[in-house]
Amino acid sequence: MRVRALARSRLRGAVAGRSLVAPVIALVLVQLLGLAGPRAPAAISLVSAISFALPVLAWSVRQVLDAEPDEQVHLSTLAVGGPVREVVAGLVAAYAVAASLAVSCAAASLLRADHGGVPVRDAAAGFALALATALVAVA
């Protein structure tokens, strides 16, 4: 329970501190440049969007993890009952940010897919890839 509360607090701190503005702008620019050109099949669009997003996702994860000052990290460690719980809360908050950004990149790439439609199998695989890529960005 305390880990979840600290993760929510870290999310609020990262969003309120505006530390995610630069990575989100960079992600939009990378996606616009990466998906420019002729329409492609849905699977190719999804993989391209997620692969272009990985470095920016890692940057956003770093911003979330570095949002708190060192003194606050020490207080958080005491509040949740140890350094392991404090690290887990930070990683959960970072994954929440990375996963939401990765899924939004995958959804935006489907807008540029072929006119033939998007097979459900390809969309599901693309969103699973997005969540796995967010996990890699956190790692």
Side-chain angles (χ1 to χ4, degrees), residues 13-94:
V15 171
R18 300 186 205 300
S19 61
L20 293 175
V21 172
V24 168
I25 291 172
L27 187 62
V28 168
L29 291 175
V30 165
Q31 293 299 312
L32 286 174
L33 292 174
L35 296 175
R39 293 185 181 264
I44 293 174
S45 294
L46 282 165
V47 170
S48 297
I50 298 304
S51 63
F52 291 145
L54 179 60
V56 183
L57 291 176
W59 180 24
S60 67
V61 164
R62 192 76 226 158
Q63 293 292 97
V64 171
L65 293 175
D66 290 343
E68 283 186 335
D70 291 338
E71 295 82 16
Q72 181 64 38
V73 172
H74 294 303
L75 289 173
S76 298
T77 302
L78 292 173
V80 295
V84 173
R85 288 182 177 177
E86 189 269 330
V87 168
V88 168
L91 293 176
V92 166

Side-chain angles (χ1 to χ4, degrees), residues 90-138:
L91 293 176
V92 166
Y95 182 74
V97 168
S100 63
L101 290 175
V103 167
S104 66
C105 286
S109 73
L110 292 178
L111 297 175
R112 294 278 307 154
D114 262 348
H115 294 294
V118 179
V120 175
R121 179 179 47 110
D122 289 349
F127 287 119
L129 178 66
L131 294 175
T133 303
L135 191 61
V136 169
V138 171

